[in-house]
């Protein structure tokens, strides 16, 4: 079947995708590679939130923050007489935008080369396999329709973002200049990353999280180490705390926060960053026209998770529109896009293994995890055995001098259930553990393999050697 873009004259295609973020464009590219004709409708820029407002620009800025921190470490720990004179926000932003722009051109080039026809328009459903774009044109899918419209930041009633004083993760990086003080509301991955960035850039940072610990979906030991690391850097971490009120006047946000002890604190900052989660975007889709409904949280749930197909045959969902166990992470949406495209092409494709999707927080310190936490494993009635290995137990961890740990959760006499890390560069170390958990490896399987010396990854190897009864450097 040809995927030549000239085959769309009759308004039909094998596959129609609404939304050009990571889930949508990965579906389109894979479907096209399998010989299907594809229409992709996107009202904004292909690449979605991840490329333009989230993953890529934020990690670019966090890299800059790491450079700033490195200069401080060079001076204070290594005797390198260097200092940061100032941060040129315009130059920093230009580099970030260049990285985003080049990635954007790359995605557009891939879609064009693949023969995917991109409709630069929003779209609404007119039936289970049909859409109408904003210019009134109608298109029909012969194989299937894929919903990939993503999510947007959750906001708080009475506290509307203005892009400057009150911001969300969508606009925090694009607000003018660097504030001297920031109050971050929300201690999940996004809130922690922005708190870390602004602290590196010299701001006074208060991080408020309603749960009793940061990154509450992660292992409790990871949360504890992360909070300790942020506090050591000077971040005022307030867990078990709630925002009672906020007002903006004269460019300052004045807030009242009830602490975990029940005390009221009056806090003010030049910027309030609201990072209290994200909500699915279904506005204007007219789901009812296709016989679809959202659940009480706004998600479009699949009836068949093995195919990510809704109760309406031929309508599939990927990305942030999916409820848990889909984690709302860009790399998970890539896998979902591949699954749906292969399903529509008639291929037998393995369902997404959500238990083996890595989770990373790119703060300083970083966190990275895959699989079950210790609490989840015990709740699932596993006979659990746990081993932790400090990064400073290996020579390279001492070189970095930032602490951190590796924690392995396993079934006694059985497979590895989860791996959890906190410390420098652990985002680059988690891929190995994804394979360990995804392939149901046992500690003895991992212990047979040799980790290079000296590296931080030796702490991972040593953790498994110890669980296998062969540890050399047991703490």
């Amino acid at each position: 079947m040809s995927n030549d873009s000239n085959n769309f004259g009759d308004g039909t295609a094998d596959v129609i995708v609404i939304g050009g973020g990571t889930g949508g464009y990965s579906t389109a590219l894979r479907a096209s590679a399998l010989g299907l004709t594809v229409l992709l409708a996107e009202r904004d820029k292909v690449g979605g939130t991840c490329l333009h407002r989230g993953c890529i620009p934020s990690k670019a800025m966090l890299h800059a923050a790491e450079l700033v921190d490195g200069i401080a470490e060079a001076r204070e720990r290594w005797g390198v007489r260097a200092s940061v004179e100032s941060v040129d926000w315009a130059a920093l932003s230009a580099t970030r935008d260049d990285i985003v722009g080049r990635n954007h051109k790359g995605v557009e080039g891939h879609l064009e080369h693949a023969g995917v026809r991109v409709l630069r328009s929003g779209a609404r459903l007119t039936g289970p396999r049909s859409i109408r774009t904003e210019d009134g044109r109608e298109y029909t899918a012969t194989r299937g329709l894929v919903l990939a419209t993503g999510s947007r930041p959750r906001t708080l009633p009475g506290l509307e973002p203005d892009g400057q004083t009150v911001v969300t993760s969508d606009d925090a990086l694009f607000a003018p200049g660097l504030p001297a003080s920031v109050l971050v509301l929300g201690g999940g991955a996004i809130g922690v990353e922005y708190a870390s960035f602004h602290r590196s850039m010299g701001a006074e940072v208060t991080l408020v999280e309603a749960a009793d610990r940061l990154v509450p979906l992660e292992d409790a030991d990871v949360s504890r180490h992360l909070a300790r690391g942020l506090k050591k850097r000077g971040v005022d971490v307030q867990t078990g705390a709630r925002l009672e009120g906020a007002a903006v006047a004269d460019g300052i946000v004045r807030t009242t926060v009830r602490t975990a002890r029940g005390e009221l604190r009056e806090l003010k900052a030049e910027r309030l960053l609201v990072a209290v989660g994200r909500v699915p975007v279904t506005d204007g889709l007219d789901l009812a026209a296709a016989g679809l409904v959202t659940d009480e949280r706004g998600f479009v749930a699949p009836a068949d998770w093995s195919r990510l197909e809704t109760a309406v045959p031929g309508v599939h969902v990927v990305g942030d529109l999916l409820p848990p166990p889909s984690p709302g992470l860009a790399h998970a949406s890539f896998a979902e896009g591949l699954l749906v495209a292969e399903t529509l092409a008639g291929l037998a494709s393995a369902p997404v293994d959500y238990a083996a999707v890595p989770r990373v927080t790119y703060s300083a310190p970083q966190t990275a995890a895959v699989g079950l936490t210790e609490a989840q494993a015990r709740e699932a009635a596993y006979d659990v055995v746990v081993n932790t290995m400090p990064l400073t137990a290996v020579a390279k961890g001492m070189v970095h001098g930032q602490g951190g740990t590796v924690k392995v959760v396993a079934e006694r006499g059985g497979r590895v259930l989860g791996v959890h890390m906190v410390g420098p560069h652990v985002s680059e170390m988690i891929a190995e553990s994804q394979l360990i958990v995804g392939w149901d490896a046992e500690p003895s399987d991992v212990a047979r393999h040799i980790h290079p010396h000296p590296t931080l990854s030796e702490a991972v190897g040593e953790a498994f050697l110890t669980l296998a009864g062969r540890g050399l450097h047991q703490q």
Side-chain angles (χ1 to χ4, degrees):
M1 184 177 296
S2 171
N3 60 6
D4 184 355
S5 60
N6 293 325
N7 292 339
F8 300 99
D10 61 353
T12 64
D14 295 318
V15 178
I16 293 176
V17 182
I18 305 179
T22 51
Y25 80 69
S26 61
T27 305
L29 288 173
R30 181 60 178 148
S32 182
L34 292 171
L36 303 180
T37 55
V38 183
L39 290 173
L40 171 65
E42 171 55 60
R43 64 166 46 125
D44 195 359
K45 297 177 180 178
V46 292
T49 294
C50 177
L51 175 53
H52 298 286
R53 298 175 294 280
C55 317
I56 306 306
S58 66
K59 276 53 182 183
M61 301 300 263
L62 283 162
H63 176 68
E66 185 179 7
L67 295 175
V68 172
D69 293 337
I71 293 171
E73 181 192 354
R75 180 181 65 254
E76 297 165 8
R77 187 164 183 248
W78 296 99
V80 179
R81 302 306 174 195
S83 62
V84 178
E85 294 181 4
S86 64
V87 175
D88 186 336
W89 181 251
L92 204 65
S93 300
T95 301
R96 172 202 66 206
D97 294 345
D98 176 65
I99 293 167
V100 170
R102 284 187 284 135
N103 275 274
H104 179 222
K105 288 181 180 178
V107 174
E108 286 197 319
H110 286 310
L111 290 167
E112 182 179 5
H113 179 74
V116 175
R117 181 178 175 185
V118 178
L119 307 174
R120 313 233 176 234
S121 168
R124 58 184 292 270
L125 304 178
T126 57
R129 302 279 182 95
S130 58
I131 66 168
R132 180 179 294 119
T133 56
E134 291 168 347
D135 60 5
R137 296 187 181 184
E138 299 195 1
Y139 300 90
T140 301
T142 58
R143 292 276 186 120
L145 186 67
V146 183
L147 303 179
T149 48
S151 64
R152 63 171 176 263
R154 187 186 303 276
T155 57
L156 298 176
L159 197 61
E160 293 304 316
D162 59 17
Q164 181 168 339
T165 307
V166 179
V167 298
T168 69
S169 58
D170 269 7
D171 51 27
L173 293 178
F174 307 98
L178 287 165
S181 54
V182 180
L183 173 63
V184 179
L185 190 61
I190 293 174
V192 166
E193 287 179 1
Y194 279 101
S196 180
F197 168 77
H198 284 96
R199 183 60 190 144
S200 296
M201 292 299 167
E204 294 297 320
V205 178
T206 302
L207 177 57
V208 176
E209 166 57 42
D212 62 359
R213 57 189 177 92
L214 298 180
V215 289
L217 298 180
E218 300 300 342
D219 190 88
D221 285 335
V222 167
S223 296
R224 179 169 54 85
H225 280 281
L226 174 61
R228 182 193 304 166
L230 290 172
K231 290 176 181 178
K232 186 176 181 181
R233 294 180 55 210
V235 176
D236 180 6
V237 177
Q238 295 290 326
T239 54
R242 296 184 178 275
L243 184 72
E244 296 279 321
V248 178
D250 301 324
I252 298 294
V253 185
R254 289 176 170 79
T255 65
T256 303
V257 172
R258 187 172 296 279
T259 69
R261 296 180 178 181
E263 303 166 345
L264 288 177
R265 285 186 61 187
E266 303 293 329
L267 301 172
K268 63 180 181 178
E270 291 185 7
R271 187 166 295 163
L272 173 64
L273 198 161
V274 181
V276 292
R278 299 182 66 88
V279 293
V281 173
T282 56
D283 308 7
L285 268 181
D286 199 1
L287 295 172
L292 296 167
V293 295
T294 61
D295 67 14
E296 66 278 2
R297 297 164 295 177
F299 295 110
V300 180
D304 183 352
W305 278 93
S306 70
R307 299 163 52 90
L308 298 180
E309 188 172 26
T310 68
V312 178
V315 181
H316 298 256
V317 189
V318 299
D320 289 1
L321 286 187
L322 287 168
S326 179
L329 298 171
H331 44 285
S333 71
F334 283 128
E336 291 161 353
L338 292 172
L339 168 62
V340 168
E342 290 164 4
T343 297
L344 291 172
L347 300 181
S349 187
V352 177
D353 182 3
Y354 289 112
V357 175
R359 309 178 299 275
V360 178
T361 303
Y362 297 84
S363 52
Q366 295 183 352
T367 77
V370 63
L372 299 179
T373 67
E374 180 180 353
Q376 289 169 338
R378 295 189 187 282
E379 288 168 5
Y382 285 104
D383 183 8
V384 173
V385 59
V386 171
N387 187 43
T388 60
M389 184 63 57
L391 292 185
T392 50
V394 299
K396 194 64 182 294
M398 296 180 190
V399 171
H400 284 283
Q402 298 175 33
T405 190
V406 175
K407 178 177 180 177
V408 178
V409 179
E411 182 181 13
R412 190 178 302 277
R415 64 189 179 95
V416 178
L417 302 172
V419 181
H420 311 274
M421 308 178 192
V422 59
H425 308 298
V426 296
S427 61
E428 304 296 339
M429 294 165 56
I430 196 61
E432 171 189 17
S433 297
Q434 171 193 298
L435 298 179
I436 292 168
V437 171
W439 286 345
D440 294 335
E442 297 185 7
S444 58
D445 297 324
V446 185
R448 294 202 310 267
H449 299 284
I450 302 168
H451 289 75
H453 174 78
T455 64
L456 290 173
S457 69
E458 284 182 282
V460 178
E462 190 69 34
F464 284 102
L465 279 167
T466 301
L467 277 177
R470 300 174 63 199
L472 295 176
H473 305 94
Q474 299 180 40
Q475 298 295 303

